[in-house]
Amino acid sequence: MTKNLYTPTIFTQKYGSLGENEASEYAKQVEESAFADANQHYELEPDGDGSSAVQLYARECSKLILEVLKKGHSVQEKGIAKSQVVSAVSETFFDISKGQRAFIEADEAKALLMPLKEPGNAYTELCFSNRSFGLGAAHVAGPILASIKNQLKKVDLSDFVAGRPEAEALDVMNIFSVALEGSHLTCLNLSDNALGEKGVRAFEKLLQSQTILEELYLMNDGISEEAARAVCELVPSTEKLRVLQFHNNMTGDEGAVAISEILRRCPLLEDFRCSSTRVGSEGGVALSEALGGCKNLKKLDLRDNMFSVEVGIKLSEALSKHEYLTEVYLSYLNLEDEGAITIANSIKEAAPLLGVLEMAGNDITAEAASSLAACIAAKKALTKLNLSENELKDEGAIQISKALEGHDQVKEIDMSVNSLRRVGARSLAQALVHKPDFKLLNVNGNFISDEGIDELRDIFKESPEKLGPLDENDPEGGDDDDRESGDDGDPVEITSHPFAEIQVPLMSIRVAVTAILLRKWIFVIHQGFDEE
């Protein structure tokens, strides 16, 4: 950044360059401002890998460097104070969300929003989250927002009417909506407001006036079937939409059908989240079919819905068309083996840049392990894999371990709660411990013996922080079928029997003995009845 401000470039030739020391000071200010914006963007997508935040950081740096050069020329010629230039460059983001949640009334709103009234301010982003606006505060904010709406690009109104009565909250929303009507926003966050259909329609003027919206967040908003239809109706322009998130709503099947209509109008969509939305098979199929047309999709999060094998199969058809996917979150969707297999086969042939794959809690057994392993083996960019809360057992863990052998970028593997024993856990540990970027193996909640736990700790003795906690492991857990093998997965030999060369699983012996005793017990009971 410093070099871009003082060395010859097409921009310094046009606007003039700065001295090296002066350029260094400005570069620090530019970097701090761009980083603050990027960090705030990253916090809005906690499950992301940070790539979009990095892109934002790069754009902001470039823009601010250009601003410094433009104003720096006037500094040299007119002697304007350097602090004025730095202030003009850095103050583009207005944020009142820090600190504890608080109610705001008219007097406090006047003081808080005073900087927005300063002539010539350069604010393009606003964050009013975590502050609950009452009707009086809204009447103060409305005219101020209306006066600067043409310069705004990003507005965060998440959680800004918390604790207010419904009637007051709706009036506040309407005031903000009218004030911002006609603005040209690229990002709008209305999350955490318990909107429902009434709340969505309270923002009608704002939503309908947006023509270049790129990001829309409606998380934890009570987006019911009716509210989803309202969103579909009131957001007419979605051609440029890249991010659409509906996490933690009560959307249901009919609501998902409405959302699928929005998806069909989003050719540039890169990030779609519809997790924890109570969507069942019908809605899941509708979403899957619509997602097939979103060819630019990079991140897909459908976790924690009431899907089915049928949805898994339909979703696999959509995933086969996506070559840009980098993150796929499909946990807790009732996919079972059939759904998991079809999805794994589709992803194997698509998504060469896949970095994150989550399919936890889907009742996946070792039957699907070979397909999962083949998919994983093909994804050389994989950094995070979560298959927790399934039934892959040792057989599945061994196949997954082999699939990970050539993956030097992998950082985190979660195989917790998979009925693993010593051999499966050991296989994973040995496959991962020496990878250069590896950070965490989670095999908690399994049935690993005490000796197996000691072995794991020995494998990770030079980097114990890479082995997750084992406090929920149960060495005595599992049913008899799980215990029919020894710690190393070998059948137990009965050496004292005349047929010692035959290897007999302990479970078979238990079943035989139980059957004999049961027959004898039934015979005795019948005999007693006959005597009576």
Side-chain angles (χ1 to χ4, degrees):
M1 292 184 202
T2 301
K3 289 181 179 179
N4 283 329
L5 290 170
Y6 82 87
T7 58
T9 67
I10 58 173
F11 297 111
T12 56
Q13 289 173 7
K14 181 176 181 179
Y15 300 111
S17 60
L18 305 179
E20 184 173 355
N21 291 335
E22 191 176 29
S24 177
E25 293 182 23
Y26 282 124
K28 291 177 182 178
Q29 293 287 340
V30 167
E31 197 283 329
E32 289 176 1
S33 176
F35 182 85
D37 290 349
N39 190 54
Q40 193 251 351
H41 175 86
Y42 177 72
E43 289 175 353
L44 290 175
E45 48 173 10
D47 294 329
D49 63 356
S51 59
S52 59
V54 171
Q55 292 171 8
L56 173 65
Y57 175 81
R59 289 197 301 269
E60 288 297 305
C61 286
S62 300
K63 181 183 73 174
L64 296 179
I65 286 173
L66 191 59
E67 288 294 322
V68 169
L69 287 175
K70 289 179 180 179
K71 295 183 181 294
H73 189 64
S74 62
V75 170
Q76 293 174 350
E77 291 187 353
K78 301 178 182 179
I80 298 175
K82 181 166 50 181
S83 59
Q84 289 179 284
V85 178
V86 174
S87 176
V89 170
S90 60
E91 292 186 11
T92 60
F93 179 46
F94 183 79
D95 184 6
I96 62 172
S97 67
K98 306 303 180 185
Q100 294 182 343
R101 177 186 292 181
F103 283 81
I104 293 181
E105 304 304 335
D107 291 341
E108 187 176 2
K110 290 177 182 178
L112 276 175
L113 305 183
M114 186 67 69
L116 298 178
K117 298 178 66 176
E118 293 179 2
N121 74 77
Y123 293 114
T124 60
E125 301 179 42
L126 302 181
C127 181
F128 286 179
S129 179
N130 204 39
R131 292 291 185 269
S132 180
F133 280 75
L135 201 53
H139 283 301
V140 171
I144 297 174
L145 293 177
S147 70
I148 62 170
K149 67 180 179 182
N150 290 330
Q151 70 191 52
L152 296 177
K153 299 299 180 185
K154 300 181 179 182
V155 172
D156 184 348
L157 298 179
S158 61
D159 192 25
F160 85 122
V161 288
R164 302 290 180 179
E166 180 183 286
E168 183 180 17
L170 292 173
D171 285 341
V172 170
M173 292 175 189
N174 185 64
I175 291 171
F176 275 75
S177 176
V178 171
L180 293 169
E181 180 183 7
S183 56
H184 303 288
L185 304 180
T186 60
C187 177
L188 177 61
N189 190 345
L190 299 177
S191 301
D192 302 308
N193 284 313
L195 296 178
E197 182 186 9
K198 293 180 181 178
V200 172
R201 295 196 179 279
F203 279 109
E204 176 177 354
K205 294 185 181 298
L206 171 59
L207 292 171
Q208 285 193 325
S209 68
Q210 298 309 302
T211 59
I212 60 171
L213 201 61
E214 296 180 9
E215 301 179 34
L216 178 60
Y217 300 89
L218 294 167
M219 299 183 287
N220 193 30
D221 266 336
I223 301 297
S224 60
E225 171 189 334
E226 295 78 12
R229 288 175 179 164
V231 174
C232 183
E233 171 192 337
L234 299 177
V235 186
S237 181
T238 56
E239 291 81 6
K240 297 186 178 182
L241 205 63
R242 295 184 299 102
V243 179
L244 181 60
Q245 298 200 357
F246 283 97
H247 169 69
N248 197 29
N249 286 298
M250 49 184 183
T251 310
D253 281 343
E254 294 300 321
V257 171
I259 293 172
S260 70
E261 292 302 314
I262 301 175
L263 291 178
R264 295 181 192 280
R265 309 196 305 257
C266 300
L268 302 181
L269 194 66
E270 298 178 3
D271 181 345
F272 178 60
R273 185 177 187 184
C274 194
S275 52
S276 301
T277 48
R278 304 183 187 180
V279 177
S281 293
E282 181 184 350
V285 169
L287 289 174
S288 298
E289 291 176 345
L291 286 168
C294 302
K295 301 295 179 62
N296 292 292
L297 204 63
K298 296 179 180 178
K299 181 178 177 181
L300 176 62
D301 188 348
L302 298 173
R303 283 175 288 188
D304 188 24
N305 280 301
M306 299 176 287
F307 286 1
S308 61
V309 172
E310 178 190 4
V311 178
I313 294 172
K314 186 62 68 173
L315 184 59
S316 69
E317 297 173 8
L319 293 175
S320 66
K321 304 173 184 178
H322 292 79
E323 58 180 306
Y324 302 115
L325 278 173
T326 58
E327 299 177 40
V328 176
Y329 301 90
L330 303 176
S331 298
Y332 310 106
L333 296 177
N334 303 317
L335 297 177
E336 301 181 15
D337 285 336
E338 186 179 355
I341 289 170
T342 56
I343 287 174
N345 291 340
S346 292
I347 294 177
K348 175 188 173 184
E349 302 301 328
L353 301 178
L354 189 69
V356 178
L357 177 60
E358 289 197 9
M359 296 179 71
N362 276 303
D363 295 322
I364 304 172
T365 72
E367 183 179 337
S370 60
S371 295
L372 287 171
C375 173
I376 293 165
K379 303 296 123 183
K380 299 301 182 183
L382 196 68
T383 60
K384 180 180 178 182
L385 175 66
N386 184 352
L387 294 172
S388 64
E389 297 187 49
N390 285 301
E391 286 290 328
L392 287 164
K393 299 188 177 181
D394 285 354
E395 179 185 347
I398 291 170
Q399 294 186 63
I400 300 298
S401 301
K402 292 178 179 178
L404 290 167
E405 287 178 356
H407 291 58
D408 290 336
Q409 297 186 57
V410 69
K411 296 180 180 179
E412 184 176 338
I413 301 294
D414 191 342
M415 287 284 287
S416 58
V417 195
N418 260 288
S419 299
L420 302 187
R421 293 193 174 277
R422 180 179 182 178
V423 64
R426 180 178 63 205
S427 177
L428 288 166
Q430 291 173 337
L432 298 167
V433 65
H434 296 301
K435 293 190 181 297
D437 296 325
F438 189 70
K439 298 186 182 300
L440 182 65
L441 170 63
N442 185 0
V443 288
N444 207 2
N446 285 301
F447 307 137
I448 308 167
S449 65
D450 292 334
E451 294 79 7
I453 289 178
D454 290 340
E455 187 174 17
L456 289 177
R457 288 174 175 156
D458 185 61
I459 292 172
F460 283 98
K461 62 183 177 182
E462 295 182 4
S463 51
E465 73 283 357
K466 296 181 180 180
L467 179 62
L470 295 163
D471 55 312
E472 295 180 8
N473 179 69
D474 182 6
E476 304 298 327
D479 55 27
D480 289 335
D481 287 332
D482 288 326
R483 286 195 293 268
E484 69 180 38
S485 296
D487 279 338
D488 295 322
D490 299 323
V492 178
E493 286 193 49
I494 311 298
T495 55
S496 59
H497 193 276
F499 300 99
E501 69 274 14
I502 301 176
Q503 294 179 327
V504 183
L506 285 177
M507 182 60 183
S508 299
I509 297 174
R510 292 191 179 108
V511 170
V513 171
T514 302
I516 292 170
L517 292 175
L518 186 59
R519 290 194 198 100
K520 184 175 181 180
W521 179 71
I522 293 172
F523 173 77
V524 170
I525 291 176
H526 278 293
Q527 189 176 38
F529 283 137
D530 290 342
E531 289 176 356
E532 290 184 6

